[in-house]
DNA sequence: TCAAAAGTGTTTAGTTTACACCCATGC
DNA sequence: GCATGGGTGTAAACTAAACACTTTTGA
């Protein structure tokens, strides 16, 4: 069956930049190996064509699940890329999303269509298909900026985590070391973390686990607007 | 001439939320009256179909100029709206932009195709065509959030402005009164404003005019990252 | 001389930074 | 008992908020 229109139309795709944190608190990105041309054999962001009648967000979630088995995660629209020649097949406009996932609780499955999916360290990325390097770049920027004023970092951690886990997360994403004492004070003073039981079986003093109280955050942010959650550390300027 | 594809394709449009400040520092939005169905006679955001081979940003700028005569302004992608039934003509995905313009220096021209364009006060908006109310809502949110940490407010002012103009702008956008003394200290301490000559012919003590030094801002923000420019006033919490 | 807005100094409270010592556990 | 991270108290520097008086101009 064919579809005919009076004016030419672009294709529309969705692409997802999926971030995860590995055991050593390194940031990773989920990529799939393309089976077909263009860019067969290259690594690319998971994604695909939007169905007619399908909402964009749903298309992003569907493609992600089809290609990697991952579902029920934090996902948000990033930006729409529409440079005329970004796809050699013709005019393809891509609505990009970024997603945050807890690596340990969302193992990737073999993709249904035999394309393999793999977590790459941010520091060891292969060259990507299409303009996906640019998309990824922008997603990283967004993540770094947003993590400073929205509590989205928790999406990368399991439900219960230690303050050290959380600090490692911020240090990884922001690419800077933070003072332990001050980090803890700042985070706890917000009153959004709930202390749980202690860790078990660690070869050192066991840390308390914490849960992020999302409901409380949402209640407060409705009442108070932005910046209930703000993590920022500006080292004091040293004299020249 | 007709275009035939193997799979159905959506149409892609761009829509622009254009903000301006009027003489009494009220925020206004530029709307056009639709000539044709759907929503003939209704007010809508300026916008239209993206040409094949045309970059999205360019499409937004082109449509804006065609419909309102406005060009060479600050414009940035906002969000892509793609709910399956947002347009009665079929599947239409709209990449929304928002723009900031200095109302006095960019008068609107009669639109080429006789549709009229008009500046509406934010508080006196008509019901809009399609999902444009939602788009506008999101643009406002973005503007309110972004003005706190990026110096985009200056785009709404003429090149030279008084500190009172600037303060009025922030009070309008944020919807809250600010302390004059603290506002001035904060803004001037950043070192990004350059004092010019004084106002003339005002029936009170003439204020100094200032220019925003964009180059200096860009240099600093490259070196120092986010938050060189930060306007925030949090009234101290009162005891209950 | 009056109205209207411009411009500034200072106190106080609160926050952020920087720093160093003790604690609990498994091996 | 020792290695490993966990946990905390506090002084000093800085920043933000709140407040009220003086200045300059045109009418």
């Amino acid at each position: 069956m064919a579809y005919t229109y009076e004016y030419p139309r672009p294709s529309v795709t969705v692409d997802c930049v999926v971030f995860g944190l590995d055991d050593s608190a390194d940031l990773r990105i989920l990529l799939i190996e393309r089976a077909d041309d263009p860019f067969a054999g290259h690594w690319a962001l998971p994604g695909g064509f939007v169905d007619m009648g399908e909402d964009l967000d749903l298309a992003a979630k569907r493609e992600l699940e089809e290609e990697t088995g991952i579902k029920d995660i934090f996902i948000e629209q990033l930006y729409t890329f529409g440079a005329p020649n970004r796809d050699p097949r013709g005019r393809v406009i891509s609505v990009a999303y970024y997603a945050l996932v807890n690596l340990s609780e969302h193992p990737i499955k073999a993709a249904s269509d035999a394309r393999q999916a793999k977590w790459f360290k941010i520091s060891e990325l292969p060259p990507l298909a299409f303009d996906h390097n640019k998309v990824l770049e922008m997603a990283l920027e967004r993540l770094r900026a947003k993590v400073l004023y929205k509590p989205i970092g928790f999406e990368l951690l399991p439900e219960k985590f230690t303050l050290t886990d959380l600090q490692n997360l911020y240090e990884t994403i922001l690419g800077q070391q933070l003072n332990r004492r001050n980090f803890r004070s700042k985070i706890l003073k917000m009153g959004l973390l709930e202390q749980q039981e202690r860790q078990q079986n660690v070869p050192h003093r066991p840390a308390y686990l914490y849960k992020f109280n999302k409901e409380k955050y949402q209640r407060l942010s409705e009442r108070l607007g932005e910046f209930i959650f703000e993590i920022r550390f500006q080292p004091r300027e040293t004299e020249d």
Side-chain angles (χ1 to χ4, degrees), chain A:
Chain A
M1 182 164 173
Y3 297 84
T4 299
Y5 307 106
E6 189 178 351
Y7 297 100
R9 295 186 177 188
S11 303
V12 176
T13 60
V14 287
D15 288 307
C16 302
V17 182
V18 188
F19 292 101
L21 270 194
D22 66 19
D23 301 330
S24 21
D26 267 342
L27 200 57
R28 291 184 180 245
I29 308 278
L30 187 57
L31 298 176
I32 57 152
E33 192 172 15
R34 287 184 60 83
D36 307 315
D37 267 325
F39 296 100
H42 284 243
W43 293 91
L45 298 173
F49 292 93
V50 175
D51 290 341
M52 293 301 274
E54 178 186 46
D55 201 2
L56 297 173
D57 293 12
L58 287 178
K61 289 174 191 163
R62 174 182 54 74
E63 287 287 352
L64 193 58
E65 184 174 0
E66 282 177 14
E67 298 190 342
T68 68
I70 290 180
K71 60 178 173 176
D72 299 327
I73 57 169
F74 172 92
I75 186 167
E76 207 172 80
Q77 201 187 102
L78 172 67
Y79 195 79
T80 298
F81 294 82
N85 296 312
R86 54 176 298 282
D87 191 314
R89 289 168 292 189
R91 187 76 198 272
V92 179
I93 290 170
S94 169
V95 183
Y97 283 76
Y98 73 106
L100 304 179
V101 14
N102 169 6
L103 206 38
S104 56
E105 291 178 3
H106 290 272
I108 51 181
K109 293 173 198 152
S112 52
D113 49 0
R115 284 180 274 181
Q116 66 167 312
K118 197 174 145 191
W119 286 101
F120 285 82
K121 281 195 193 176
I122 280 261
S123 50
E124 300 168 4
L125 288 174
L128 303 186
F130 307 106
D131 55 357
H132 287 185
N133 280 305
K134 211 168 102 189
V135 178
L136 198 153
E137 193 66 33
M138 195 171 213
L140 245 180
E141 256 175 53
R142 177 77 63 91
L143 177 61
R144 290 203 172 113
K146 196 143 186 171
V147 94
L148 293 172
Y149 63 95
K150 294 273 179 179
I152 57 174
F154 301 108
E155 305 288 344
L156 292 164
L157 293 176
E159 196 193 0
K160 297 179 182 181
F161 50 85
T162 68
L163 293 180
T164 302
D165 292 339
L166 190 61
Q167 180 169 351
N168 287 337
L169 180 156
Y170 276 96
E171 292 184 341
T172 297
I173 294 179
L174 300 178
Q176 72 177 267
Q177 297 302 109
L178 304 174
N179 177 291
R180 187 158 51 101
R181 185 69 189 89
N182 296 340
F183 180 82
R184 286 161 175 258
S185 310
K186 197 160 195 167
I187 290 281
L188 290 177
K189 190 156 59 66
M190 295 179 194
L192 295 170
L193 294 191
E194 286 173 355
Q195 199 177 66
Q196 310 288 311
E197 73 276 11
R198 285 165 172 281
Q199 278 180 313
Q200 300 213 321
N201 290 41
V202 284
H204 53 72
R205 177 175 176 176
Y208 282 105
L209 296 169
Y210 289 85
K211 266 188 189 172
F212 174 62
N213 188 335
K214 198 165 179 175
E215 291 70 35
K216 186 168 179 190
Y217 168 74
Q218 281 167 343
R219 253 183 292 120
L220 286 176
S221 69
E222 272 169 34
R223 259 203 319 128
L224 304 175
E226 298 282 325
F227 297 107
I228 288 82
F229 190 89
E230 181 169 340
I231 314 274
R232 272 167 53 211
F233 295 93
Q234 294 172 319
R236 197 152 279 165
E237 292 200 27
T238 48
E239 303 288 322
D240 286 29

